[in-house]
Amino acid sequence: MIVLLHKVFLMTKTSLKPYNTFGINASCDRLFSFSSVDELSERLNEIDRQTPFLILGGGSNVLFTEDFHGTILRNAIKGIVVVQEKENTVIVEAGGGMVWHEFVHWTIQNDFGGIENLSLIPGSVGAAPMQNIGAYGVEIKDVFHSLDAYEIETGKIRTFDLPSCQFGYRESVFKRVLRNQFVIVKVRFELQKSGHHRLNTSYGMINEELTKKGIENPTIKDVSDAVIAIRQSKLPDPKEIGNSGSFFKNPILPNSQIEKLKSEFPDIPVYPVDENHSKTAAGWLIEQDGWKGYREGDFGVHQRQALVLVNYGQASGKEIYDLSERIIASIKDKFGIELEREVNIY
Ligand code: EPU
């Protein structure tokens, strides 16, 4: 029996196509899933720590440009528990291997507010803090309480509170300094009970979408439904067209540079960040530069959202990477802005 289970979880030379939303057909030497910390620990003892390994969640923020010569560990730790309830708020703990939207869906069914604007983001709960996922004016850091992470080197569980995660725009300590050193096993969020939650409908098209439906006093679910409708209208479904959401980050620039750009390109979108910096929209820059809808073979730039690179079927990761290089060079040439990738490249 033990041998049998072993075979189910520990595979050799595996195609990664089902495990990355880009649908890239690279392979890895070995892949295994773990659904508890004990299992993770056991599996880690089986592999040679000197060979490369990678911890994968939903595979929604990676681009494999070549075969991965090492072991891939897939987090399958599930479960949701309300760990604390106060008059107006709850602290909810979710397993790192849960599908992110399934967790969002659960919070909405329970009428807890805070992550409805983050509906339908592909990926897992454990991957969400890695890059401080965000959409429609809300980021994970706004509702984050703490997380438990397994330290690969020592086998110990360490708890990270908000400051120790060092969240920034699509950034955290796990993406940089502690990259590949920890496996996020549980994440806790502080959510508001309905009636005590202020909905954030000002960003993007949420208000327009609610008006279109004739909704004047939206509920948490109404906002989630609006976000789902907007996302579905703009962003390709990875089940149909391979992609990993925004491929690039929106550039944050000094205001002096923004002013110069505005004089040359009066329509450039500008969002204030702090006193001295503003963000502009990479999707706008890429569209203005003529790349929106570009297609060559099976790779290209999405037709409705220029920030999303796509795999129409058989594209290789290298082709998509090379396209991103061409886009970066072209944007640098036209606007003098160096785009940075949001997606992790392997
Ligand atoms: N725009 C264009 N052309 C395009 C795309 C966008 O002109 O092809 C313009 C829009 O008209 C708008 C501005 O760019 O003026 C911003 O566009 P949008 O609201 O669609 O959002 P985004 O900046 O392109 C960011 C996040 C998304 C998130 C949305 C909504 C990043 C890198 N991306 O995209 O996150 O869903 O805002 O909040 O910050 C992701 O990270 O994978 C992701 C999808």
Side-chain angles (χ1 to χ4, degrees), residues 60-61 121-122 131 133-137 169-170 203-204 231 234-235 244-250 269 271 279-288 292 302-308 342:
S60 61
N61 208 37
I121 295 185
Q131 57 147 352
I133 58 167
Y136 306 102
Y169 168 56
R170 295 298 191 274
Y203 191 95
R231 289 189 76 94
K234 281 197 196 176
L235 296 166
S244 69
S246 302
F247 194 90
F248 302 100
K249 288 186 189 178
N250 283 329
Y271 313 99
K279 206 190 265 184
T280 186
W284 185 89
L285 302 172
I286 298 168
E287 178 172 349
Q288 294 303 307
K292 195 172 186 174
H302 189 52
Q303 281 155 344
R304 293 194 300 271
Q305 183 21 306
L307 202 44
V308 178
E342 194 210 86

Side-chain angles (χ1 to χ4, degrees), residues 27-79:
S27 71
C28 65
D29 293 349
R30 296 199 297 179
L31 180 142
F32 64 73
S33 302
F34 54 91
S35 37
S36 68
V37 169
D38 285 349
E39 203 179 344
L40 168 64
S41 191
E42 238 172 73
R43 297 289 175 241
L44 281 171
N45 286 336
E46 286 166 9
I47 61 173
D48 175 0
R49 304 284 179 100
Q50 299 312 309
T51 63
F53 61 89
L54 167 68
I55 303 131
L56 204 60
S60 61
N61 208 37
V62 286
L63 178 68
F64 291 105
T65 55
E66 54 187 19
D67 290 340
F68 187 78
H69 298 295
T71 306
I72 292 200
L73 293 84
R74 281 195 83 227
N75 189 344
I77 299 177
K78 300 270 159 58

Side-chain angles (χ1 to χ4, degrees), residues 162-178:
L162 182 66
S164 53
C165 290
Q166 296 175 25
F167 289 128
Y169 168 56
R170 295 298 191 274
E171 282 296 344
S172 79
V173 72
F174 303 104
K175 202 172 163 180
R176 301 276 169 203
V177 203
L178 302 182

